[in-house]
Amino acid sequence: MQITLKVKRYNPEATSEDKKSYFQEYKVDAPADSTVLDSLIQIREYQDESLTLRCSCRGAICGSCAMRVNGHAGLMCKTKVEKALGKNNVILVEPMGNQPVVKDLVVDMSLFFDKVRAVEPYLQPVGPEPKEERIASNEDMLHLVGVMSCIMCGACVSDCTVLEMDPNFLGPAALAKAYRFVADPRDGKTKERITEYNKYGGIWDCTRCMECVQVCPKGVDPMGRIMMLRTKADELGTKDYSYGVRHADAFEDSVKKGGKLNEAELVINTFGFFNVPKLLGMLPVAMRAAYKRKMPSLFHKSIPGVQSVRRIMSKAHEVEKVQGKKPMPR
Amino acid sequence: MYQHDVLVIGAGLAGMRAALAAQQAGADTAIITKVTPVRSHSNAAQGGINAALTHLGDDWHEHAYETVKGSDYLGDQDAIEILAQDAGRSIIELEHMGVIFSRGPDGKLGTRHFGGQQRARTFYVADITGAAILHVLFEQILKAKTRVYEEWFVTSLIMEDGECRGVVAMEIKSGKLEVITAKAVILATGGCGRVFEPSTNGLIVTGDGMGLAYNAGAPLMDMEMTQFHPTTLKNNGILMTEAARGEGGYLLNSKGERFMEKYAPTFKELASRDVVSRSEQTEINEGRGIDGCVLLDLRHLGREAIETKLAYINEIAIDYMGFSLADKPIPVRPGYHYIMGGIKTNVDGLTKIPGLYAAGETACVSVHGGNRLGANSLLDTVVFGRRSGEHAAQMVKSKPAPKVSEARVQQDEKHIKALLDRPANGDSVAKIRLDMGNAMTENVQVFRNEQGMKTALADIKKTQERYKKVAVGNKGKVFNTSLIFALELGFMVDLAEVIVAGALARKESRGAHARTDFPDRDDVNWMKHTLAYNTENGPKLDYLPVVFTQWEPKVRSY
């Protein structure tokens, strides 16, 4: 079938700015069951040798060919032409986001790997090394296969909405990798790891937008892993130094108390009543809210029937206990 | 100009394992790779890694014997003994590093069955074993803070006074050439799968290390021994792991018969790969195939087993064929997968050139001989990767840093400039590569004969001539993949010639080299390794006796 690939080009060696970055359309005859990568390779081999992209395995295991197709990141070797076709048989192909472009569809992934490095991404067992293998349950190992399926393609980092605003965020791939060690029964540094991941830029900065879950080509579920790390942080009682845990607790307490959220109380309970610097830091937010007439009332009245809300909440906790489920990730 | 004690080229399993060993032994070590470590093709190894673990009741002798038998008695038995004896500690070492191997009910390492072996001794991580080990070795490289030159392409080995003193390499991002000197260079660049079309191998698997060594004067060994994997997809050549049969999958012909019962009554689908591929090809040739394929049927394993133990190939089936392996059998056929041959090394990875080592698929120790057993390749990479790294690190201790003139880059700069300056002539690197791949697949296949191989040789010579005139379509400096492909093709057209020359000369059938005009194994005349040296008139062949220790050649049956 005749299709058009509209490809975002970037040539840093071009003499003028308008020649550096532009869109180029290629017409390709694509077999029905072919992939977008097949088309890109066909262009590169037979139409335009200067079209630059990374690819290798063609089987969604090497992680080289992550790009944006029609605005969302994915592996081109896993993206069927048929499914990607838009209006007038056009497919839009662009380099990944949140990472600087080197040339055409090739991005500089050093930011990606810097973040992976930052989570101490290697097993840190404690105690003497046994002569034989470390004993572990097959169930635990199988659970880890899900995270180890990450091929570091960068799709999640490309489309992470937090990273777009704050490059300090460790991001979905690195945190999923972090979870791989926290969930490994052979690792002995869970507490130290969680302490690190609790900091600014860590697990509490995810806004749960689900983008990483949607674009991950390997079903790694990075956001889910971040939520599991939050649960772990809660379990480990890191309340004393984790605003994230305290924020979650304060949220629950507030709803339990009045049946709805009391924002002012939330801030105070998260940071602590005597934490003047942090509270002062929130003043501009409060002022902006006041200016937009969004300032919550400082005096909070419980909603009618608040007892019912409390009953629902305690019932939910009971059910969790009975079913042996871990508390809901927050 | 950069300087290291040990420089490893390639960051797959063999490369990273070698680098870790060299660094742990105190050498200043660096890795240079044309991609990023986790993109290396070791990723695509699916099924597992073999080892006879004594504490699990296995015996390395059995593993060694089955490897010897699998090699059709062309493997060197001293090397195979080292491979099998070192396997146990290599698996434990990987487990300690963090590989999430599958477990048995007691929490100890679990195994699955693999081809050519009576006992289940293949350790695995679902069907992503290669990727799971590659990523853990990468973790260890990050932990060790090893210097990695990522996305650098080696254009030549620096040869002075008959020894290797480093490399000239291009930083792909800038197009700049640099000298990197080293007291020892370890080639760990994998196979040369793109010589064939189609191939299970990734697009980066272009035999660079073999080409570099061959150009520098090191002999290649047993290059005619190319493995065709019995279960690959027809269109794109993508691999369906042998673990599918290890877990109990059937191979069926168009009549729905489990035809392997006929060819290998004892091992059936789990005979060694050369045997299964020949059986499939025979079924197809005799009209019992389906559209050039046979069927791999896993339905009886049940959805749950398929979705946990074979999740990745199931994902491939869904992505590329549109159905789950739990619902339908999948058409497969023999496809080019692996080369048993490679750069001739000793058991410490040392090639015939002082200062130059090789490990993994790029090397030929030889532990695989005429046919490699499934799950022995990952083992080969970690065992001989480590040995090379350790030996190199010892060797460099007493060696002064080589003095290489920075002007050495000019040689390669001139070569590249000449390549870029060629005028367009309507031909292209991609077209030549495809013609070479097709010529090899057509006539240097599962079954071979003199006439076909002569045709292939003539075709390959034509591609060599065309290569001398082909233009590079992109002249830029930054990330010029077009130039890289041209350089890679230069290695491949020569390697293709070596493969065909060796195969034409070997007038017998042994392991993966099956000739219809010489259907029998000939131990009197051909129980020997082929060596190929690079000369101006193409490869010059020589031969080397096979090393025997305890296993006399027998008729091979499964």
Side-chain angles (χ1 to χ4, degrees), chain A residues 75-304:
Chain A
L75 290 178
M76 294 305 99
C77 68
K78 214 179 146 87
T79 308
K80 284 279 177 73
V81 162
E82 275 175 328
K83 286 197 181 149
L85 274 185
K87 258 190 203 162
N88 305 323
N89 281 3
V90 176
I91 299 173
L92 175 66
V93 183
E94 296 167 287
M96 282 195 282
N98 287 333
Q99 293 152 102
V101 179
V102 176
K103 190 173 180 216
D104 293 345
L105 301 165
V106 172
V107 299
D108 178 354
M109 285 194 72
S110 47
L111 174 123
F112 178 98
F113 285 104
D114 285 348
K115 291 188 183 302
V116 170
R117 258 185 220 105
V119 300
E120 298 197 358
Y122 36 84
L123 194 71
Q124 299 184 60
V126 286
E129 191 160 271
K131 251 186 83 180
E132 293 162 1
E133 69 269 45
R134 290 196 169 79
I135 302 299
S137 78
N138 197 41
E139 201 189 358
D140 281 343
M141 294 292 107
L142 268 180
H143 175 65
L144 290 177
V145 171
V147 209
M148 276 308 279
S149 298
C150 170
I151 55 175
M152 300 194 160
C153 66
C156 58
V157 163
S158 161
D159 287 18
C160 173
T161 52
V162 177
L163 269 174
E164 206 177 305
M165 302 307 292
D166 182 2
N168 287 304
F169 182 39
L170 280 170
L175 287 172
K177 185 85 179 163
Y179 176 75
R180 173 247 175 286
F181 298 102
V182 168
D184 193 322
R186 302 168 298 175
D187 193 88
K189 298 277 186 186
T190 304
K191 185 112 197 213
E192 290 84 345
R193 287 182 188 278
I194 290 289
T195 305
E196 271 311 301
Y197 311 151
N198 248 327
K199 291 179 179 163
Y200 165 55
I203 50 180
W204 299 99
D205 286 21
C206 168
T207 60
R208 294 208 273 179
C209 73
M210 298 285 293
E211 277 294 329
C212 60
V213 181
Q214 293 212 6
V215 300
C216 175
K218 301 300 286 184
V220 172
D221 182 18
M223 189 200 87
R225 311 296 170 176
I226 298 173
M227 294 311 126
M228 289 173 187
L229 286 171
R230 287 187 183 177
T231 304
K232 197 82 194 166
D234 199 7
E235 274 172 27
L236 284 175
T238 56
K239 209 172 180 171
D240 292 347
Y241 53 83
S242 168
Y243 293 131
V245 175
R246 279 163 44 176
H247 180 265
D249 284 351
F251 205 105
E252 186 181 336
D253 290 346
S254 174
V255 175
K256 208 186 266 174
K257 199 165 132 198
K260 63 176 180 179
L261 194 61
N262 179 347
E263 278 102 339
E265 201 178 68
L266 183 71
V267 172
I268 292 167
N269 286 344
T270 298
F271 291 129
F273 192 76
F274 298 106
N275 191 348
V276 180
K278 275 282 178 191
L279 291 177
L280 281 177
M282 290 303 286
L283 261 182
V285 179
M287 280 160 70
R288 277 201 303 275
Y291 178 70
K292 299 268 185 193
R293 295 167 190 256
K294 296 270 170 130
M295 185 66 182
S297 158
L298 289 175
F299 304 97
H300 230 62
K301 255 178 40 195
S302 297
I303 60 163

Side-chain angles (χ1 to χ4, degrees), chain B residues 417-440:
Chain B
K417 188 172 180 303
L419 201 58
L420 290 173
D421 285 349
R422 282 185 206 157
N425 63 354
D427 206 354
S428 76
V429 166
K431 284 180 198 159
I432 300 174
R433 216 274 318 159
L434 186 63
D435 289 346
M436 169 188 68
N438 287 337
M440 295 298 282

